[in-house]
Amino acid sequence: IKIVQKLKDYADNRKVSLLSLAIQWVMTRPGVTCALVGANSAAQMTENIKALDIRLTRSDHLAIDKILG
């Protein structure tokens, strides 16, 4: 739970949702070519699509990796 809160705080500081941050983080991992995400509503799909607008820098990856341990 502490890790999730730290990730949420990081996402909030970037002014993005934790979901969007997580999807983009997965998509930018070496060897990953797609992220399988689901949606039960148009609102959820809209939130998933927002991840496409995020660009993670090397420093973002380093910070997130540090949080994840």
Side-chain angles (χ1 to χ4, degrees), residues 29-58:
R29 302 305 295 170
V32 174
T33 57
C34 72
L36 299 177
V37 296
N40 291 320
S41 68
Q44 287 177 340
M45 182 58 71
T46 300
E47 187 62 31
N48 291 344
I49 291 170
K50 287 180 184 178
L52 299 173
D53 294 329
I54 299 171
R55 295 294 173 256
L56 298 180
T57 65
R58 177 155 170 71

Side-chain angles (χ1 to χ4, degrees), residues 14 16-30 32 35 37 47-57 60-61 64:
R14 293 262 342 259
V16 299
S17 72
L18 179 55
L19 175 66
S20 293
L21 182 75
I23 292 170
Q24 190 54 237
W25 181 83
V26 167
M27 287 300 303
T28 56
R29 302 305 295 170
V32 174
V37 296
E47 187 62 31
N48 291 344
I49 291 170
K50 287 180 184 178
L52 299 173
D53 294 329
I54 299 171
R55 295 294 173 256
L56 298 180
T57 65
D60 288 324
H61 279 281
I64 293 167

